[in-house]
Structure formats: C-alpha cells, structure tokens
C-alpha cells in the first residue's frame, strides 16, 4: 500500500478482448474489450486464449498501466458509485500482424 502523500498510483491491468462472430454482411468478427484484471500478467508477446465457444473467443490482449491521480479523486469516486464502474480501452491495429489477434491495447 502506498502512502497518502503520493500523487499517483499505478495499477497494471490485464486487458481481455472478445472476438465474436458478426451478423453484419461486411465483417466476419466483432472485437470488443470486455474485462480487465488488476495485477494480471501474462506473456507480453502473444495473446493468450482464455475462453471459447461456438461464436466467441476471449484473449488476454496485453497489460497496460492505469494511472490514478490524486486530483482525480472526485471523478474516480463518482465512477465507483455507478452500478458498473467504467473504463475505456483503446485498441490499435497490429501493424506486424504476426498472430491471429489483429489488435494491441494502446491506452486505458
């Protein structure tokens, strides 16, 4: 635990992205961030397939740092009071394209 005087706390978050079959005629798959896990660390080089079904798969897409600043306390408190607190995850297309997972987490 960090002291109260610190201005920032950094949390490593494992980003889970779901690949689901699309019903749209121009896209085969929909990709969507669906969960995060605090302190989750897998290999950084290749996504790990976590779950699967007939029409979906979930991947650990990578680990990003969430920086919580002391001055953002009010906004963080209001977010935590929601029935389901929210985070926004930005994915970027993987230019290297070495795996079946076409995106990399960029920002949370």
């Amino acid at each position: 635990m960090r002291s109260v005087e610190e201005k920032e706390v950094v949390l490593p978050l494992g980003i889970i992205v779901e690949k689901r079959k699309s019903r749209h005629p121009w896209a085969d798959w929909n990709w969507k961030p669906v969960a995060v896990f605090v302190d989750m660390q897998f290999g950084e080089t290749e996504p790990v397939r976590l779950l699967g079904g007939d029409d979906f798969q979930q991947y650990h897409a990578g680990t990003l740092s969430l920086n919580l600043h002391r001055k953002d306390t009010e906004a963080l408190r209001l977010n935590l009071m929601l029935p389901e607190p929210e985070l926004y995850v930005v994915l970027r297309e993987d230019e290297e394209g070495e795996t079946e997972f076409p995106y990399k987490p960029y920002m949370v």
Side-chain angles (χ1 to χ4, degrees):
M1 186 94 186
R2 297 180 181 212
S3 68
V4 177
E5 290 85 28
E6 289 190 46
K7 294 181 181 181
E8 183 177 292
V9 174
V10 179
L11 296 173
L13 298 178
I15 309 297
I16 306 302
V17 176
E18 183 175 271
K19 173 185 171 184
R20 188 172 287 273
K21 286 186 181 179
S22 174
R23 294 182 181 161
H24 194 281
W26 296 341
D28 294 331
W29 301 99
N30 290 325
W31 296 85
K32 178 180 175 182
V34 293
V36 297
F37 294 93
V38 177
D39 292 329
M40 186 172 174
Q41 304 267 341
F42 284 122
E44 295 294 325
T45 58
E46 188 172 334
V48 176
R49 182 175 169 189
L50 297 176
L51 294 174
D54 291 336
D55 62 346
F56 78 95
Q57 296 171 339
Q58 290 183 344
Y59 297 85
H60 172 260
T63 301
L64 294 175
S65 295
L66 175 64
N67 299 336
L68 302 173
H69 299 274
R70 183 171 63 182
K71 291 185 179 183
D72 295 335
T73 304
E74 182 65 19
L76 293 171
R77 186 180 70 77
L78 292 173
N79 188 17
L80 291 172
M81 289 172 46
L82 294 172
E84 291 187 28
E86 298 177 349
L87 287 174
Y88 295 92
V89 176
V90 177
L91 301 175
R92 280 196 170 169
E93 195 167 340
D94 184 4
E95 299 293 329
E96 298 167 9
E98 297 175 6
T99 68
E100 67 180 76
F101 189 78
Y103 299 101
K104 287 186 177 182
Y106 174 70
M107 180 187 323
V108 64

